[in-house]
């Protein structure tokens, strides 16, 4: 099992106008002097708030000029300046999480679970991620974004907040690429076909070649370790049987 | 002639194919099995007999020209496709790029600011 990322020295209490967000093993702390920002972030990450010590600190400076986001990897700090918006926190976490939880990547997919196994259901807008999560609310951990992390020789899925989400992490058993169709059917993809299809469902860190290389390496390991399927489905909860069926 | 893989590329053997990513052009490629063999040979022996042998095979030369056009390999002299017919004794599948795709962030979800940092400025479409 990979060790959890090293946290910063713990403080006994959280400063005013701060919030800590726990995503799997990783905790990010946001400081802001803007109460509206704090409320927006608290609402967005409701259910993911924690008191655990942070691995990443995000400082929001509402009136400060400069680029909206400045990162300082040396001390795991990010500054959000005047041009940033509350959703910038999403972007920061999406960019930093794979680095803090490495080897890991962020996928565009709904994460479902039967309690023991995780099923990542990917697709572009309109493919049916939120539809599937709404059909199976008791199975859905999240409906839009998930962290996929290598743990030993296997992978786990970690739910990330977006539209609907609750905290959760689960060993990843299968990956599905969603397509609407008249009936439920799944078809296993060969590893390279899986890599090609998954490519458009991964948040690639194109701002930095080294990070892009790490994400690529993680994806290559992923398609070799976790079966990838094309899942055709209709709006019927019976799709759960197709998702969870054991391969013949 | 000396031919080598470009610096800004990463690659992995996945099953029988070789998947290559150009890290600055943000494109992904899959090479078929014989293409992957040539790709691996370029690492071990970027010049000398092996390259001379490759350049005498029109299929391999065409493949290298294709790789060069995509910025995946660099050579110390211009590569040109050979007009010679393929080797008659060559019964393997010709080396080729099976597919090539863009690698991008989530469409519409993120924007690049300040040249180095990615922030989310709008919501992706609901699905």
């Amino acid at each position: 099992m990979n060790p959890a990322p090293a946290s910063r020295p713990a403080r006994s209490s959280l400063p005013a106008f701060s919030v800590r967000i726990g995503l799997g093993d990783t905790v990010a702390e946001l400081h802001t002097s803007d109460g509206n920002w704090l409320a927006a972030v608290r609402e967005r990450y409701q259910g993911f708030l924690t008191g655990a010590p942070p691995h990443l600190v995000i400082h929001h400076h509402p009136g400060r000029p400069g680029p909206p986001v400045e990162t300082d990897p040396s001390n795991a700090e990010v500054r959000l300046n005047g041009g940033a918006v509350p959703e910038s926190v999403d972007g920061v976490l999406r960019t930093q999480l794979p680095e803090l939880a490495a080897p890991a990547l962020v996928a565009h997919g709904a994460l479902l679970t039967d309690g023991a196994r995780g099923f990542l259901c990917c697709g572009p807008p309109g493919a049916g991620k939120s539809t599937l999560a709404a059909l199976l609310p008791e199975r859905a951990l999240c409906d839009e974004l998930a962290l996929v992390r290598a743990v030993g020789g296997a992978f786990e899925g970690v739910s990330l907040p977006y539209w609907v989400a609750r905290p959760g992490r689960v060993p990843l058993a299968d990956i599905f690429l969603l397509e609407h169709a008249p009936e439920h059917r799944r078809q296993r993809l060969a590893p390279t076909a899986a890599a090609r299809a998954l490519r458009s469902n991964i948040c690639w860190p194109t701002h930095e070649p080294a990070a892009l290389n790490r994400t690529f390496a993680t994806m290559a390991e992923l398609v070799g370790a976790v079966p990838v399927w094309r899942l055709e489905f209709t709006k019927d909860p019976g799709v759960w049987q197709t998702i969870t069926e054991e391969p013949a | 002639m000396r031919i080598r893989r470009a610096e800004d590329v990463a690659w992995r053997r996945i099953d029988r194919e070789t998947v290559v990513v150009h890290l600055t052009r943000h494109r992904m490629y899959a090479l078929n099995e014989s293409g992957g063999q040539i790709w691996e040979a370029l690492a071990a022996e970027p010049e000398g007999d092996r390259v001379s042998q490759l350049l005498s095979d029109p299929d391999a030369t065409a493949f290298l020209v294709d790789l060069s056009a995509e910025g995946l390999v660099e050579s110390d002299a211009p590569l040109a496709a050979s007009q010679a017919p393929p080797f008659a004794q060559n019964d393997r599948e010709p080396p080729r790029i099976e597919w090539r795709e863009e690698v991008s962030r989530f469409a519409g979800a993120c924007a690049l600011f300040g040249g180095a940092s990615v922030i989310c400025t709008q919501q992706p479409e609901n699905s």
Side-chain angles (χ1 to χ4, degrees):
Chain A
M1 175 120 181
N2 294 356
S7 62
R8 300 157 64 93
R11 280 193 305 271
S12 57
S13 63
L14 196 59
F17 286 100
S18 298
V19 65
R20 287 180 188 161
I21 303 161
L23 304 169
D25 285 333
T26 307
V27 176
E29 182 174 289
L30 169 71
H31 300 270
T32 178
S33 58
D34 186 328
N36 292 329
W37 258 65
L38 195 68
V41 172
R42 277 186 176 280
E43 182 181 355
R44 183 160 191 74
Y45 290 95
Q46 192 175 25
F48 290 81
L49 303 182
T50 180
H55 309 91
L56 172 73
V57 176
I58 305 170
H59 297 278
H60 174 223
H61 304 284
R64 182 172 168 167
V69 181
E70 294 178 284
T71 57
D72 186 348
S74 64
N75 60 0
E77 290 200 354
V78 175
R79 286 187 297 278
L80 298 176
N81 296 319
V85 294
E87 288 76 17
S88 302
V89 175
D90 295 343
V92 168
L93 293 177
R94 204 175 296 164
T95 308
Q96 299 295 318
L97 263 180
E99 298 297 303
L100 293 166
L105 55 82
V106 173
H108 201 200
L111 184 62
L112 310 182
T113 183
D114 64 0
R117 298 174 296 166
F119 307 97
L120 181 64
C121 302
C122 297
K129 299 182 297 297
S130 295
T131 300
L132 197 59
L135 282 171
L136 303 162
E138 71 284 5
R139 307 294 187 187
L141 291 173
C142 60
D143 67 349
E144 184 70 32
L145 292 174
L147 181 73
V148 174
R149 182 177 180 228
V151 181
F155 283 83
E156 68 173 13
V158 178
S159 63
L160 299 180
Y162 214 93
W163 305 111
V164 177
R166 56 190 166 102
R169 55 196 298 176
V170 65
L172 204 53
D174 294 288
I175 298 172
F176 296 97
L177 298 153
L178 303 179
E179 286 181 19
H180 290 292
E183 58 185 20
H184 308 314
R185 192 167 75 96
R186 71 182 202 176
Q187 180 186 8
R188 178 87 182 259
L189 299 179
T192 42
R196 184 180 192 182
L198 263 185
R199 166 199 56 82
S200 58
N201 295 284
I202 290 172
C203 191
W204 295 99
T206 51
H207 60 291
E208 187 193 338
L212 180 57
N213 189 8
R214 287 191 287 273
T215 296
F216 170 58
T218 303
M219 187 207 69
E221 294 291 324
L222 179 65
V223 298
V226 179
V228 180
W229 309 78
R230 178 178 292 115
L231 176 66
E232 298 177 352
F233 79 105
T234 187
K235 293 179 182 177
D236 167 13
V239 67
W240 182 244
Q241 284 184 309
T242 306
I243 289 172
T244 56
E245 74 185 31
E246 295 293 336
Chain B
M1 176 181 282
R2 182 183 176 89
I3 303 173
R4 65 177 184 183
R5 297 192 299 235
E7 288 186 1
D8 292 338
V9 298
W11 63 280
R12 290 288 186 286
R13 189 80 179 266
I14 298 179
D15 204 5
R16 289 198 290 180
E17 294 182 344
T18 300
V19 178
V20 181
V21 171
H22 198 299
L23 298 171
T24 52
R25 294 188 183 187
H26 306 152
R27 289 179 66 84
M28 183 181 289
Y29 307 82
L31 315 181
N32 67 354
E33 189 171 8
S34 52
Q37 289 169 354
I38 290 175
W39 181 261
E40 292 188 26
L42 289 177
E45 199 178 356
E47 56 189 334
D49 293 344
R50 177 61 175 146
V51 167
S52 299
Q53 184 186 355
L54 287 173
L55 293 175
S56 66
D57 178 345
D59 287 336
T61 304
F63 175 67
L64 291 169
V65 169
D66 205 5
L67 294 181
S68 178
E70 296 289 349
L72 298 174
V73 300
E74 297 166 348
S75 59
D76 58 5
L79 283 163
S82 169
Q83 301 301 312
F87 295 152
Q89 73 276 17
N90 195 348
D91 58 356
R92 66 174 165 76
E93 188 180 39
R96 63 169 179 263
I97 298 176
E98 291 281 12
W99 51 262
R100 55 197 94 194
E101 303 277 6
E102 296 288 337
V103 166
S104 59
R105 297 179 300 276
F106 294 143
C110 298
L112 190 64
F113 284 80
S117 302
V118 178
I119 70 166
C120 188
T121 55
Q122 56 182 307
Q123 310 281 335
E125 295 173 51
N126 203 345
S127 54

